Amino acid sequence: MIFSNDKAIYIQMADRLCDEILAGTYKDDDRIPSVREYAVKLQVNTNTAVKAYDQLARDGIIYNKRGLGYFVTAGACREIKKARKKEFMQHTMPELFRQMQLLDISIADIEEAYRKREAQK
């Protein structure tokens, strides 16, 4: 995984695991890779992976079964979407609207671009 400089690595790792949950790679109550497995997979320090897993556990996305590993919390996908929608609406949309205004991009332009993108799928 290539990490960017705009967020802490452990947060990017947590985001990636959330992406995998959203994509259906891991479903409710599925076991996820161990901290060490995930650290090796992403080529990071195990302590960094521990921080990512701790954050996800605090957020209620994963839970630990002592001696068995970490599992996806029931309803995690819904909670991830809820949090990400809130983040999108509070942070991404205002900047998007600002850029649209500066560049004279209308809602109609956005709708057309969206329809074209959907047609390509």
Side-chain angles (χ1 to χ4, degrees), residues 5-108:
N5 291 326
D6 63 338
K7 283 187 193 177
I9 291 174
Y10 81 93
I11 293 173
Q12 293 176 66
M13 289 180 68
D15 286 347
R16 178 184 167 134
L17 196 51
C18 286
D19 289 347
E20 291 172 345
I21 292 168
L22 289 173
T25 304
Y26 305 110
K27 296 175 179 38
D28 289 355
D29 296 311
D30 279 356
R31 184 182 178 282
I32 60 173
S34 72
V35 170
R36 283 192 177 92
E37 290 169 341
Y38 213 57
V40 168
K41 179 179 181 179
L42 300 183
Q43 299 177 341
V44 299
N45 185 294
T46 303
N47 292 330
T48 303
V50 167
K51 284 180 73 172
Y53 277 49
D54 285 348
Q55 181 65 50
L56 290 169
R58 277 193 305 274
D59 292 344
I61 303 301
I62 62 174
Y63 63 95
N64 188 6
K65 282 188 182 178
R66 193 169 181 90
L68 297 175
Y70 284 93
F71 294 79
V72 177
T73 302
C77 190
R78 181 181 61 251
E79 291 304 314
I80 293 166
K81 285 181 182 180
K82 181 178 163 184
R84 286 191 175 183
K85 282 180 184 179
K86 181 179 178 184
E87 172 75 17
F88 183 84
M89 296 304 279
Q90 290 179 347
H91 299 284
T92 305
M93 288 297 286
E95 177 59 18
L96 175 66
F97 291 149
R98 187 180 80 76
Q99 289 293 324
M100 288 173 64
Q101 188 175 22
L102 289 172
L103 301 172
D104 294 323
I105 297 172
S106 69
I107 293 294

